[in-house]
Amino acid sequence: MTDQNGPSLLGAMSRYRVMCALIVWAVAILSVVAALLTAGGATATATIGLRTPQVDNVLVPGLQGDASLGRYTAQRARFVTSDEVMTVVADTIGASSTSSVRSRLEVQASGTANIITVTAEGTSKRRAIDLALAVVDAYGRQTEIQVADRTAAAVDALQAQIDALVASTDETLISSAESTVSDVQLEIADLQATQAVFGNGIEFVVEPTTRSASTPSLPLRALPG
């Protein structure tokens, strides 16, 4: 009786060990898969160095000192993810919506320098890099448009002042109109010169590369051992 039960007991224990080993490996494999699925895609970071605007700039008039420059940098960082910029980026990379693009970006303004970092996520390093570069390009183009529009509005307002002075029939105004018109014309020239120098507001760009881009690493605890 004992001899007959002996092999059966050993066989059951052997099968139990095998089953336990399979369970351990199954759990380990599931852990690896879960880690890969939750790790996210590759990331790439582009750095934008902002050109310091002059005091009479149209984006932040009266800019002066480090505190003002910090506010300006924060303002431009917010503009990076604005609808104007995100719409251009979505069109460039063929994204379905601006929100889908915005969700793949992390934009930070430096607290000590006029620098913005744009970290983009993609399913591969190449896609992450392409997104980061598309954001930088769109930001530059939309900033240039924004500056041009605001400069044109300011010039139009000043030109309206000139037109009003020239058309005035008030003798007092007429006597001082010549010098006033000259002053306003100088303001217009200064605004246009500032626009030309400022351009798209970017001093330099540090572009991401395949070497600087990163992919998520698998946690060691997720590996079966």
Side-chain angles (χ1 to χ4, degrees):
M1 196 72 167
T2 304
D3 292 339
Q4 292 176 353
N5 291 337
S8 298
L9 180 59
L10 291 175
M13 291 179 64
S14 178
R15 288 193 297 272
Y16 175 75
R17 290 193 187 97
V18 171
M19 186 177 296
C20 288
L22 289 174
I23 292 173
V24 169
W25 273 95
V27 171
I29 291 171
L30 288 174
S31 298
V32 171
V33 173
L36 289 172
L37 290 176
T38 58
T43 58
T45 299
T47 301
I48 303 174
L50 300 177
R51 184 168 294 139
T52 302
Q54 298 180 24
V55 177
D56 59 348
N57 77 92
V58 293
L59 293 178
V60 186
L63 179 71
Q64 197 169 14
D66 293 341
S68 294
L69 190 59
R71 288 194 298 272
Y72 169 72
T73 304
Q75 180 212 72
R76 300 321 296 166
R78 290 191 295 272
F79 187 67
V80 171
T81 55
S82 66
D83 287 341
E84 294 94 327
V85 175
M86 291 295 96
T87 297
V88 175
V89 176
D91 290 342
T92 301
I93 66 172
S96 58
S97 65
T98 57
S99 59
S100 67
V101 175
R102 195 177 285 112
S103 65
R104 294 163 54 192
L105 298 174
E106 180 181 352
V107 181
Q108 293 184 329
S110 170
T112 57
N114 51 336
I115 288 175
I116 297 171
T117 56
V118 178
T119 301
E121 182 180 298
T123 54
S124 66
K125 285 186 176 183
R126 186 66 262 168
R127 287 183 179 275
I129 291 171
D130 288 345
L131 175 56
L133 293 177
V135 171
V136 172
D137 180 67
Y139 168 79
R141 284 193 282 161
Q142 291 304 304
T143 296
E144 196 160 10
I145 291 172
Q146 188 180 45
V147 171
D149 289 345
R150 294 191 181 186
T151 299
V155 168
D156 287 346
L158 291 172
Q159 187 59 52
Q161 292 182 27
I162 293 175
D163 294 342
L165 287 169
V166 171
S168 176
T169 57
D170 187 303
E171 292 184 3
T172 303
L173 288 177
I174 291 174
S175 62
S176 61
E178 185 175 344
S179 60
T180 303
V181 167
S182 178
D183 290 341
V184 176
Q185 287 175 333
L186 284 176
E187 287 187 57
I188 290 176
D190 287 343
L191 282 171
Q192 293 171 332
T194 298
Q195 177 190 351
V197 171
F198 189 73
N200 63 5
I202 297 177
E203 187 68 34
F204 66 86
V205 174
V206 180
E207 297 185 351
T209 63
T210 52
R211 178 171 293 185
S212 65
S214 63
T215 52
S217 59
L218 189 64
L220 292 178
R221 65 175 181 273
L223 296 172

